[in-house]
């Protein structure tokens, strides 16, 4: 039996169709302040009877259109989400970001390799309302003591 609130509905706010205004650092972990701005459309839905969410995104970048998917899976035992990403740029399902929501803010973390360096990565979901939300990505080279935010997407609900 499901507890009153175990986290499995935490991504329900994102179900539907969204326009995303994206700002992405052109160079990461190099002290850059040169941002690329572009638009995107995301369509999200529940899967696996609510233990998962999936969204498909189209990003209109300067270098051309990129298609992507995010698969989010909820583990009822740990009460944490695993977030997986893949895009038409790589065709690879990336290592999951793992975490959960507390007080209306979701934080998700992973260890990964960026330009042959082992780093921490972080996603934050915040400023969540019925018609808008924010997603941010950041990298850390010092074990999470400091973070460089390198991608911000401000979403507005379309449907």
């Amino acid at each position: 039996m499901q507890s009153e609130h175990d986290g499995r509905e935490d991504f329900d706010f994102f179900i539907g169709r969204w326009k995303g205004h994206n700002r992405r650092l052109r160079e990461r972990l190099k002290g850059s302040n040169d941002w690329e701005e572009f638009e995107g459309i995301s369509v999200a839905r529940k899967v696996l009877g609510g233990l998962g969410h999936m969204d498909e995104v189209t990003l209109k970048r300067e270098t051309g259109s990129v298609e992507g998917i995010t698969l989010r899976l909820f583990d009822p035992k740990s009460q944490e989400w695993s977030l997986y990403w893949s895009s038409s740029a790589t065709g690879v399902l990336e290592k999951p970001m793992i975490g959960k929501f507390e007080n209306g803010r979701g934080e998700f973390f992973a260890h990964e390799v960026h330009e042959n360096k082992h780093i921490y990565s972080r996603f934050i979901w915040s400023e969540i309302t019925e018609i808008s939300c924010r997603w941010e990505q950041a990298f850390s080279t010092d074990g999470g003591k400091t973070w460089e935010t390198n991608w911000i997407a401000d979403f507005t609900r379309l449907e």
Side-chain angles (χ1 to χ4, degrees):
M1 185 169 162
Q2 178 181 339
S3 66
E4 194 171 301
H5 177 82
D6 65 0
R8 73 182 67 210
E9 296 174 351
D10 285 343
F11 273 106
D12 285 4
F13 71 90
F14 203 57
I15 293 171
R17 192 165 180 261
W18 297 80
K19 177 182 177 183
H21 178 76
N22 295 268
R23 292 185 40 191
R24 184 178 186 270
L25 274 181
R26 293 179 193 275
E27 294 187 291
R28 300 171 181 185
L29 299 176
K30 296 182 180 172
S32 174
N33 199 23
D34 184 16
W35 295 85
E36 172 192 8
E37 294 195 37
F38 54 96
E39 302 302 315
I41 298 291
S42 296
V43 180
R45 60 185 164 84
K46 283 187 180 187
V47 295
L48 302 176
L51 284 181
H53 282 194
M54 182 177 204
D55 72 59
E56 297 177 78
V57 61
T58 301
L59 303 171
K60 301 292 185 181
R61 299 198 51 203
E62 292 172 0
T63 55
S65 185
V66 176
E67 303 289 323
I69 61 166
T70 306
L71 175 62
R72 300 176 187 91
L73 300 173
F74 182 75
D75 179 343
K77 285 187 179 179
S78 68
Q79 297 188 348
E80 291 183 312
W81 286 90
S82 296
L83 285 53
Y84 299 85
W85 165 256
S86 185
S87 76
S88 58
T90 65
V92 173
L93 194 60
E94 302 291 337
K95 290 182 178 182
M97 307 287 291
I98 299 173
K100 61 184 175 179
F101 282 82
E102 290 184 0
N103 301 315
R105 176 184 166 102
E107 292 193 11
F108 306 87
F109 300 89
H111 293 141
E112 60 183 86
V113 177
H114 174 74
E115 296 182 351
N116 298 316
K117 295 179 188 171
H118 289 271
I119 64 165
Y120 285 117
S121 56
R122 176 184 73 192
F123 290 172
I124 296 176
W125 283 93
S126 64
E127 302 178 29
I128 299 166
T129 72
E130 289 184 20
I131 60 168
S132 63
C133 59
R134 172 173 275 198
W135 171 85
E136 300 177 29
Q137 175 180 272
F139 290 167
S140 174
T141 59
D142 60 11
K145 294 176 188 162
T146 61
W147 294 92
E148 175 190 81
T149 299
N150 57 53
W151 195 334
I152 301 167
D154 289 306
F155 291 97
T156 306
R157 183 178 295 282
L158 295 173
E159 295 173 11

